[in-house]
Amino acid sequence: EHRSGDAESDDMKKFGTLVQDHFKQVFGEANALERIPVYGTNNVQPKPKLGTLMRFRCMVQDPSYGEELHLSVAQLVNTATGEVRQKFSQYTDNGPILDENWEVDYVSAGNKFIEKEVAYCVSVPGQTKWAEMNTAGNLEEAMEALDICPATDEEELLTGSAEKYPLRGQKHAAALVKFYAPGNAPKVSEIVDVVGIFELGYNPREEPQQSEEQDARWPCLHSIFHNTVSVESL
């Protein structure tokens, strides 16, 4: 029985919510979040590896970067044998990795898409690097961060636009955060703890260049789940 596109879309939204609820439960135990590397602080390497699970305590500075469609379930066909299979991918901007002779059947009704809501998020204004690292539960690293040292070139990757930060001119961490349950995405100025997968992606507000090599790559977190943080707990 063929299901309507709306019904399939609802199924994908429900799936995203189930994934969020599952990982909230997994990391809901005491100190569980503290084991996740914190984005934008010195307790991880300045330039995180792509695909790393990270945590980013941030403020939603601009939630109006729009929505994106991601091919979450792709219908594949083998051009040599005609065999058909499905491949699942999520929490990435990249398409499915294909073996030899396999390609995506883009006209198949078996393809399923999921929406991502994109927001520009920044480190919490007024919260120092020491406070961020103390939040991560690593007091030894936090004390080391009190030393004054110049930023490396790699650290510049994590630095956001000074013009878009509430405390103008102050150095801070920033990332495009992609939320996979748009109805539950946080609003402007909301402070959240995001747990997600780190990638480099393209800014949807920038004009594409003639070649991919010329396009600027932005730090991006694909949110698996997020928790709202009250101002009083900072």
Side-chain angles (χ1 to χ4, degrees):
E1 181 182 357
H2 176 71
R3 306 187 68 199
S4 69
D6 288 342
E8 291 176 347
S9 177
D10 288 342
D11 285 346
M12 296 307 296
K13 290 178 181 177
K14 290 177 182 177
F15 173 78
T17 301
L18 287 173
V19 171
Q20 287 191 43
D21 292 344
H22 171 74
F23 280 98
K24 278 187 176 182
Q25 183 176 4
V26 169
F27 291 104
E29 300 176 4
N31 302 323
L33 286 177
E34 296 175 5
R35 297 196 292 267
I36 303 175
V38 178
Y39 172 82
T41 61
N42 287 337
N43 69 331
V44 294
Q45 55 190 335
K47 188 176 181 180
K49 290 184 179 180
L50 302 184
T52 300
L53 181 69
M54 305 203 76
R55 171 186 167 207
F56 185 25
R57 174 165 289 188
C58 57
M59 186 187 78
V60 179
Q61 176 69 9
D62 188 347
S64 62
Y65 271 63
E67 293 185 352
E68 298 175 348
L69 280 179
H70 176 70
L71 182 57
S72 191
V73 179
Q75 191 86 356
L76 308 183
V77 60
N78 189 303
T79 56
T81 65
E83 181 185 353
V84 175
R85 65 173 62 161
Q86 288 184 323
K87 191 161 189 177
F88 174 82
S89 70
Q90 197 155 295
Y91 308 113
T92 179
D93 285 334
N94 300 317
I97 299 174
L98 303 177
D99 297 326
E100 186 178 359
N101 295 327
W102 287 92
E103 63 181 33
V104 178
D105 181 5
Y106 287 103
V107 298
S108 171
N111 295 327
K112 293 181 174 58
F113 294 85
I114 192 168
E115 290 181 341
K116 298 180 284 187
E117 187 168 317
V118 186
Y120 181 85
C121 297
V122 298
S123 50
V124 180
Q127 187 175 30
T128 64
K129 179 164 291 190
W130 181 88
E132 291 173 351
M133 297 185 70
N134 193 30
T135 298
N138 191 334
L139 183 59
E140 189 173 310
E141 292 282 353
M143 294 301 293
E144 290 179 3
L146 289 173
D147 294 335
I148 299 174
C149 58
T152 65
D153 291 339
E154 287 185 325
E155 283 179 314
E156 296 303 321
L157 173 70
L158 308 181
T159 303
S161 168
E163 289 74 21
K164 293 183 69 67
Y165 197 58
L167 301 180
R168 190 170 296 275
Q170 187 178 99
K171 187 176 178 181
H172 62 283
L176 294 177
V177 180
K178 303 193 175 185
F179 299 94
Y180 282 73
N184 297 325
K187 309 304 181 186
V188 65
S189 298
E190 193 169 341
I191 298 173
V192 290
D193 259 336
V194 175
V195 174
I197 305 297
F198 176 79
E199 275 193 344
L200 294 179
Y202 298 108
N203 185 341
R205 290 190 177 177
E206 290 185 346
E207 291 292 331
Q209 303 299 314
Q210 293 181 349
S211 67
E212 289 187 3
E213 290 77 12
Q214 294 175 307
D215 281 327
R217 304 296 296 275
W218 280 56
C220 172
L221 281 175
H222 295 268
S223 174
I224 297 176
F225 74 92
H226 69 273
N227 292 317
T228 300
V229 178
S230 65
V231 176
E232 292 77 13
S233 66
L234 295 176

